Amino acid sequence: MTTPSRRDLANAIRFLAIDAVQAANSGHPGMPMGMADIAEVLWNDYLRHNPKTPSWFNRDRFVLSNGHGSMLQYALLHLSGYDLPIEELKNFRQLGSKTAGHPESHMTPGVETTTGPLGQGFANAVGFALAEKLLAQRFNRPDYTIIDHRTWTFMGDGCLMEGISHEAASLAGTWGLNKLVAFWDDNNISIDGQVQGWFTDDTPARFEAYGWLVIRGVDGHDADEIRTAIDTAMKSQDRPVLICCRTTIGFGSPAKAGKESSHGSPLGKDEVTATREALHWPHAPFEIPQPIRDAWSAHADGQAHEDKWDRLFDHYAVAYREQADELLRRMRGELPRRFAATADAYIAKLQAEGPVVASRKASQMAIEAFAPHLPELVGGSADLAHSNLTLWKGSKSVASSDPDANYVYYGVREFAMTAISNGLALHGGFVPYDATFLVFSDYARNAVRMSALMGARAIHVYTHDSIGLGEDGPTHQPVEHLASLRYIPHNDVWRPCDAVESAVAWRAAIERAEGPSCLVFSRQNLPHQARGDAQVAAIQRGGYVLKDSVGSPEYILIATGSEVALAMQAAEQLGDGARVVSMPSTSVFDRQDAVYRDAVLPKACRKRIAIEAGVRDFWRKYVGLDGAVIGIDTYGASAPAEKLYPHFGITVDAAVAAARAL
């Protein structure tokens, strides 16, 4: 074979995708075929990465927001030299493979974020670009541009239809994220067919209105036009860039190019043969000629990029030792050595002082105590900073050029906020938190699910946690939300009962490197609970005995948050046989060993009552069908909180009566 042309290199992507989808009899060949030429130019001429070190910190980030076209990314990773052998591509979409139907960051080397739910990858990319901006402000020095990388994202019409793209694009423009470059696959096709019947937005004008530099009308199959567009994009000093690429879905397929039939189904044996002939690709399935493999390999260039950066960082570390040490620590995802001792001291101080505050206020107090010791902590709220109480005295807007910028005013954008937090977490160097009212976690829920699926170290703060918020009424009063969040696998949900539990919850969330946490706080004041040292230490186990019975318990009352105080009062009326278990995190409690769980909830005691101002069925796993649950299985009402609890039967008397009826 002679020296391969750019089209030959792009065709390697196309046929790896075609062959993998055909072998699996499942998948999306059309997008990889349509975006192959764009991907070839970007990955071979611009993308700075090292396949041998996928986690090299100053690498460019590539995000495939239109994740159904996953074989495009798998082909790119395989061809450029990542640890993704051809056998994995042959095993596309099969159990145990590294080539899932949509890209999975926890599974496939070189995949930066899990994509599939359309628009979220784009929002993650905004988070990546924001992370780069903030780290550059913090650590770069004259002659030492230590943080200097770009975020590149591919997205299709579907991503742009999703509302999250509007939210995220608006923020990216406001923040001037000039290291973010998005490629729009403008092919006029979605699964249902030609998009003119449901997607007629003036997308370039929309992004221009958001403050983006828009490069219009690029032929996505012309390498020279693509290069010119990228060169222009890289000159942007103050704006993110949208490159609008006209493409043909299923490019090269004689019968299916430009049609929805190539979107989400294999081409079929005969059409695969016809496409090979049309694109002059005489090679067998999964066969890549060596000259093409050699041209694609990024090993040498990638290692050169990383080595050059390593040399620069070595000099930086001599000139700026403190900053270098901090950056290395944050790159490793390690917390400061003194954080644990700082947290211990603060929690002990709270227990001794016993403040009576709303847990949302206790949350703010914890941020004030912890944040000065955690420069990696970056937070924000969806236009509710003064209600969520997420601001602290060291907060500085990320819209500024301050080297210590650490606070994000997201506006009313719960979904994008959460997905951007995921991007910040996945990028590395930050522990992000975001915030809204608990009832509006519905807007963010799929991004919370993605946090858990990917194991992103993100903290989702939700205040106004029950009917206790009062007069705003049922639209703002969460009922099913606690249960819904708890049902997300690998998601830790904390609902603390006082300032001490709130601080422990914050500490646990900060220290949890392997996944997200949801911290749920009250609007109303909550009484302080007396505890011994052993009880304080046990809070971190998710559930513990707050008040014990005399001898073996006759009754066990289990409660969270504001209802712990109610359980304590009910126990006083029930007498010496009543035990109160505070369970701020059911997921953490469930991970404890059986000996501990049985010590807190002994099997011999069947008179169990759970108390929480939310749907009742969730608690049957702890009280059984023979126990009782005090909760609410309907929507709330607009009235003062002190009127609502008795109205809905969440009272001390109700708990006592339920216990005695068992």
Side-chain angles (χ1 to χ4, degrees):
M1 185 178 189
T2 60
T3 302
S5 67
R6 305 213 75 139
R7 179 57 52 82
D8 292 330
L9 298 177
N11 284 343
I13 300 172
R14 289 189 172 98
F15 283 98
L16 285 174
I18 290 169
D19 294 337
V21 172
Q22 194 66 31
N25 196 30
S26 172
H28 298 257
M31 184 280 251
M33 296 169 71
M35 296 197 78
D37 297 300
I38 306 167
E40 188 276 321
V41 173
L42 175 64
W43 277 62
N44 281 326
D45 292 8
Y46 296 95
L47 192 75
R48 292 191 303 174
H49 64 122
N50 186 1
K52 290 184 178 179
T53 315
S55 60
W56 171 42
F57 196 73
N58 200 46
R59 68 191 182 278
D60 286 357
R61 271 66 170 178
F62 175 78
V63 177
L64 190 75
S65 190
N66 42 350
H68 53 270
S70 57
M71 268 308 307
L72 173 81
Q73 188 161 17
Y74 300 147
L76 290 166
L77 294 170
H78 170 75
L79 291 167
S80 59
Y82 284 79
D83 183 18
L84 196 68
I86 195 68
E87 288 74 19
E88 293 289 352
L89 275 64
K90 292 178 179 178
N91 208 28
F92 178 54
R93 286 184 163 230
Q94 304 309 301
L95 185 64
S97 75
K98 294 181 181 180
T99 50
H102 294 81
E104 300 281 0
S105 61
H106 65 285
M107 181 183 298
T108 310
V111 173
E112 301 285 357
T113 179
T114 297
T115 56
L118 292 176
Q120 283 199 65
F122 172 62
N124 296 160
V126 173
F128 286 133
L130 177 60
E132 194 275 345
K133 171 184 181 290
L134 297 178
L135 288 170
Q137 289 175 191
R138 173 70 179 88
F139 291 103
N140 287 353
R141 296 292 185 274
D143 300 321
Y144 292 103
T145 307
I146 295 299
I147 304 297
D148 180 20
H149 52 266
R150 296 181 183 274
T151 301
W152 312 88
T153 183
F154 283 10
M155 55 187 185
D157 292 329
C159 292
L160 294 174
M161 292 181 212
E162 289 284 0
I164 192 173
S165 71
H166 297 254
E167 298 178 16
S170 176
L171 285 166
T174 297
W175 296 333
L177 300 179
N178 65 300
K179 298 285 189 66
L180 172 64
V181 181
F183 296 82
W184 169 33
D185 185 26
D186 181 15
N187 61 23
N188 293 312
I189 291 289
S190 65
I191 290 177
D192 281 350
Q194 295 282 336
V195 301
Q196 284 81 1
W198 52 87
F199 184 56
T200 58
D201 300 16
D202 187 341
T203 295
R206 168 184 152 192
F207 274 74
E208 286 170 343
Y210 292 146
W212 288 57
L213 171 64
V214 176
I215 302 172
R216 300 170 180 243
V218 176
D219 184 345
H221 303 296
D222 186 312
D224 291 335
E225 284 199 29
I226 298 164
R227 279 189 57 87
T228 299
I230 296 175
D231 287 340
T232 302
M234 293 180 69
K235 295 174 184 175
S236 178
Q237 297 298 308
D238 58 356
R239 289 181 288 172
V241 183
L242 176 69
I243 301 177
C244 306
C245 301
R246 299 188 310 273
T247 65
T248 300
I249 192 170
F251 179 91
S253 169
K256 296 188 176 184
K259 299 178 181 179
E260 65 269 22
S261 56
S262 69
H263 192 297
S265 302
L267 296 184
K269 182 179 179 181
D270 291 344
E271 190 62 17
V272 170
T273 300
T275 305
R276 276 184 155 79
E277 293 174 356
L279 291 177
H280 310 292
W281 187 264
H283 314 292
F286 299 104
E287 179 185 329
I288 305 295
Q290 194 61 46
I292 291 180
R293 287 198 173 277
D294 293 343
W296 262 106
S297 176
H299 282 164
D301 287 347
Q303 194 62 52
H305 286 309
E306 185 174 353
D307 289 346
K308 181 180 179 181
W309 186 82
D310 285 344
R311 290 191 296 271
L312 180 65
F313 189 87
D314 288 342
H315 292 294
Y316 176 82
V318 173
Y320 301 99
R321 170 52 58 187
E322 183 179 344
Q323 289 79 8
D325 287 346
E326 181 191 336
L327 179 57
L328 285 170
R329 176 186 65 77
R330 291 169 63 168
M331 286 164 56
R332 293 191 295 264
E334 299 173 354
L335 297 176
R337 284 188 301 111
R338 292 291 301 166
F339 175 72
T342 299
D344 283 340
Y346 176 67
I347 291 164
K349 178 174 179 287
L350 282 178
Q351 187 61 49
E353 295 178 351
V356 176
V357 295
S359 56
R360 63 169 176 163
K361 179 62 180 178
S363 168
Q364 185 181 49
M365 291 160 56
I367 298 171
E368 289 278 5
F370 297 157
H373 308 279
L374 294 169
E376 57 265 56
L377 196 65
V378 57
S381 172
D383 203 46
L384 289 169
H386 298 287
S387 292
N388 298 145
L389 300 184
T390 46
L391 286 164
W392 63 288
K393 61 177 178 282
S395 294
K396 298 178 181 180
S397 173
V398 302
S400 73
S401 58
D402 193 301
D404 297 319
N406 61 1
Y407 195 82
V408 189
Y409 293 91
Y410 284 105
V412 189
R413 299 182 180 96
E414 295 89 355
F415 195 3
M417 171 183 71
T418 310
I420 289 169
S421 283
N422 288 342
L424 285 163
L426 293 166
H427 180 280
F430 291 101
V431 176
Y433 66 92
D434 52 73
T436 186
F437 288 175
L438 178 58
V439 76
F440 301 132
S441 65
D442 281 343
Y443 284 126
R445 191 179 187 281
N446 195 259
V448 175
R449 182 178 186 270
M450 296 299 290
S451 299
L453 177 61
M454 295 185 287
R457 190 182 198 167
I459 303 171
H460 309 301
V461 177
Y462 301 122
T463 68
H464 297 61
D465 67 349
S466 70
I467 58 173
L469 70 88
E471 290 88 345
D472 279 344
T475 63
H476 282 52
Q477 292 167 0
V479 175
E480 74 277 21
H481 299 74
L482 282 163
S484 177
L485 292 170
R486 288 169 178 150
Y487 281 131
I488 297 175
H490 200 56
N491 184 44
D492 281 359
V493 179
W494 290 83
R495 187 177 184 239
C497 76
D498 64 2
V500 176
E501 286 192 359
S502 298
V504 173
W506 260 107
R507 176 185 182 171
I510 290 166
E511 293 181 340
R512 191 180 188 226
E514 70 277 9
S517 301
C518 297
L519 307 184
V520 182
F521 300 115
S522 72
R523 179 179 184 267
Q524 71 272 30
N525 285 350
L526 305 179
H528 172 72
Q529 299 297 334
R531 300 176 185 86
D533 292 345
Q535 289 172 301
V536 172
I539 297 171
Q540 66 182 334
R541 306 189 76 166
Y544 64 102
V545 178
L546 179 61
K547 178 186 183 300
D548 210 355
S549 58
V550 177
S552 299
E554 181 183 2
Y555 306 103
I556 299 177
L557 289 82
I558 311 166
T560 77
S562 50
E563 287 70 67
V564 169
L566 190 153
M568 292 290 282
Q569 296 175 54
E572 290 295 331
Q573 292 192 28
L574 290 168
D576 291 345
R579 169 182 287 187
V580 176
V581 172
S582 178
M583 196 175 288
S585 180
T586 60
S587 53
V588 174
F589 178 77
D590 289 347
R591 290 199 296 270
Q592 304 306 306
D593 61 83
V595 173
Y596 179 79
R597 288 184 279 112
D598 290 345
V600 174
L601 299 176
K603 293 182 177 65
C605 181
R606 301 312 309 161
K607 295 181 178 181
R608 300 182 181 188
I609 308 92
I611 312 167
E612 186 175 70
V615 293
R616 294 183 294 177
D617 280 356
F618 172 85
W619 288 99
R620 290 292 170 190
K621 65 185 288 189
Y622 299 105
V623 304
L625 296 177
D626 53 343
V629 183
I630 305 298
I632 176 171
D633 289 325
T634 185
Y635 297 108
S638 179
E642 61 270 20
K643 301 288 187 181
L644 292 172
Y645 274 83
H647 177 76
F648 288 105
I650 306 173
T651 64
V652 172
D653 289 346
V656 171
R660 289 174 173 164
L662 294 176

